[in-house]
Amino acid sequence: MVGTSGRKFAAIRDHLQKGIAEQYRDMDVTCDTFPADGIDRDPQAYKAAIDALKPGSGCCIFTPDDTHFDIAMYAVERKCHVLVTKPAVMTVDEHIKLRDAARKYRVLVQIELHKRWDQIYADARERIRSYGDFTYFNSYMSQPQSQLQTFKAWAGKSSDISYYLNSHHMDIHCWAMQGRAVPVKVTAFGSTGVASGKYGCPPNTEDVITVLSEWKNIPSGNKGIAVYTAAWTAPDNAEVHSQQRFQCLCHNGEVRADQAHRGYEVTADRKYMSVNPMYMKYTRDSAGYYAGQRGYGYLSIETWVNACRDLNHGKKTLEECHATLPTLETTLELTALLEAGRRSLDDNGASIDVQKLIKGEER
């Protein structure tokens, strides 16, 4: 386990002990940590940790968005497989460089886009692909504003809520459109006031970001439009931690999915909750063991681990992985949409040509 401050690890170990080891039977939470406990700050500690790994090992990256590229590139160049949380990187240029490095060193770089393993979303993707040209897509995802207490070290400085949350449903849309439609242009808008005024984030930090995009269906050339909205200023103590839903209208059908409300409601300690164990099941089984292995949050990581093992033993090729997993080879349009959204925001809502961005003409 790697961080930037060794002085945090004592509290982290205590948290793992109480939250995991003491909650489930036979769950070992011991691990090596970098940097050493007495070190105040070492942003390069990840290098020592990766240097300790053998080629073919796996490296999971769940760090602030603007650090993904450097850490992932360091791991790839040492022939380690990588699982990186979304967004994989922040620009098309970084995406292409990291993709090309993964090709050179023959390693798997997968993005942790766990919604692809939700059976409802996976089913919706296949139905969308059978309903003809796409006409309209909209999505909304939020998190409570108390999260800004955790994120204010980077919120509005090195990344934004669109990179953090819109990336989920942008990916679902891009995944459904593979080979059927391409994004053409993007315009983005943001609202302000809460993050900067209440939580001390930089001035003009967006509370909510809406990315509007125009698409072109293949081969018809018919236009489609998409609206992706993400917020990190939702009320605290709502029935869910994160509102998350999407709608897709096609020429021959329509799909709507609400991932936050699965018909399972719990009330305890004067708190009403709409819970979703299909993502991650935290309750133990009858024998006291962890029992969340079927959750789509777990499966997205397990699938990567299994793919790395199969690659190392020659049971699977990288090409087979690219065909079924969210790797750098198949997610360039997602990165382009995110970067185009940020460029538009920085240019007062200007229209950004996504295809030119992908080709390098907007860089």
Side-chain angles (χ1 to χ4, degrees):
M1 182 182 294
V2 184
T4 58
S5 174
R7 296 193 182 278
K8 295 181 179 180
F9 282 122
I12 291 173
R13 292 189 196 98
D14 182 63
H15 177 71
L16 294 176
Q17 179 64 29
K18 293 177 180 178
I20 298 178
E22 295 178 10
Q23 299 301 316
Y24 307 103
R25 287 182 61 181
D26 301 335
M27 188 73 80
D28 184 4
V29 296
T30 58
C31 62
D32 296 327
T33 55
F34 300 80
D37 283 18
I39 302 298
D40 283 328
R41 182 168 174 77
D42 180 7
Q44 304 298 311
Y46 68 88
K47 294 181 178 179
I50 294 172
D51 288 342
L53 300 175
K54 298 178 181 179
S57 298
C59 175
C60 298
I61 303 171
F62 289 80
T63 59
D65 298 346
D66 64 322
T67 66
H68 294 176
F69 175 74
D70 289 339
I71 299 172
M73 183 64 79
Y74 194 86
V76 166
E77 290 176 342
R78 280 143 191 85
K79 299 182 180 180
C80 292
H81 303 295
V82 172
L83 178 69
V84 58
T85 190
K86 48 75 205 162
V89 290
M90 300 188 71
T91 68
V92 168
D93 184 59
E94 289 178 339
H95 190 118
I96 292 172
K97 287 178 179 177
L98 190 59
R99 180 201 65 188
D100 291 348
R103 290 176 178 176
K104 176 181 178 180
Y105 293 101
R106 301 296 296 170
V107 294
L108 174 66
V109 180
Q110 181 175 322
I111 308 172
E112 202 283 298
L113 291 159
H114 51 259
K115 291 186 185 300
R116 291 197 184 195
W117 279 265
D118 179 345
Q119 289 299 295
I120 291 177
Y121 274 41
D123 183 82
R125 188 254 183 177
E126 297 307 319
R127 291 179 187 271
I128 289 169
R129 292 177 65 80
S130 71
Y131 291 160
D133 282 0
F134 125 80
T135 297
Y136 173 68
F137 182 98
N138 79 68
S139 62
Y140 175 71
M141 191 164 179
S142 69
Q143 287 199 346
Q145 58 186 259
S146 59
Q147 286 284 95
L148 285 168
Q149 292 284 9
T150 302
F151 298 151
K152 65 182 181 181
W154 56 264
K157 299 175 184 177
S158 60
S159 191
D160 60 41
I161 188 58
S162 185
Y163 276 106
Y164 185 66
L165 286 186
N166 266 336
S167 49
H168 280 294
H169 286 105
M170 283 180 176
D171 174 67
I172 294 300
H173 188 208
C174 289
W175 186 38
M177 294 296 106
Q178 280 182 349
R180 302 183 62 85
V182 295
V184 176
K185 58 185 177 182
V186 156
T187 303
F189 302 96
S191 60
T192 59
V194 177
S196 57
K198 189 175 179 179
Y199 292 95
C201 296
N204 298 318
T205 298
E206 295 91 1
D207 300 333
V208 181
I209 292 175
T210 292
V211 178
L212 311 172
S213 66
E214 180 182 297
W215 288 63
K216 182 174 73 173
N217 284 280
I218 301 171
S220 69
N222 290 327
K223 292 182 179 180
I225 54 175
V227 184
Y228 318 101
T229 298
W232 49 15
T233 52
D236 293 319
N237 300 314
E239 82 283 8
V240 294
H241 179 75
S242 177
Q243 301 287 347
Q244 40 196 303
R245 54 185 178 267
F246 81 90
Q247 171 192 13
C248 188
L249 176 66
C250 301
H251 283 201
N252 301 314
E254 181 179 14
V255 169
R256 295 186 299 274
D258 184 347
Q259 199 174 49
H261 302 90
R262 296 297 177 85
Y264 184 35
E265 301 169 339
V266 174
T267 304
D269 298 326
R270 304 184 67 173
K271 170 70 173 175
Y272 164 71
M273 297 174 287
S274 177
V275 295
N276 181 17
M278 287 179 281
Y279 168 58
M280 191 69 77
K281 180 180 179 295
Y282 294 106
T283 54
R284 296 164 290 191
D285 69 9
S286 58
Y289 291 101
Y290 174 76
Q293 293 90 341
R294 294 183 180 179
Y296 56 85
Y298 184 100
L299 288 172
S300 68
I301 299 174
E302 181 187 63
T303 304
W304 171 74
V305 172
N306 289 340
C308 294
R309 181 185 58 199
D310 289 345
L311 286 167
N312 290 343
H313 289 88
K315 296 180 179 180
K316 183 174 288 188
T317 66
L318 280 171
E319 290 67 31
E320 289 174 315
C321 292
H322 298 323
T324 58
L325 301 175
T327 72
L328 292 175
E329 293 287 344
T330 58
T331 53
L332 182 59
E333 289 176 341
L334 168 59
T335 301
L337 284 172
L338 290 166
E339 183 184 356
R342 185 66 257 170
R343 282 172 174 259
S344 179
L345 287 166
D346 292 341
D347 198 11
N348 296 314
S351 179
I352 305 298
D353 188 313
V354 179
Q355 293 305 309
K356 285 185 177 180
L357 184 60
I358 290 173
K359 296 173 183 176
E361 298 172 15
E362 286 274 2
R363 279 178 259 159

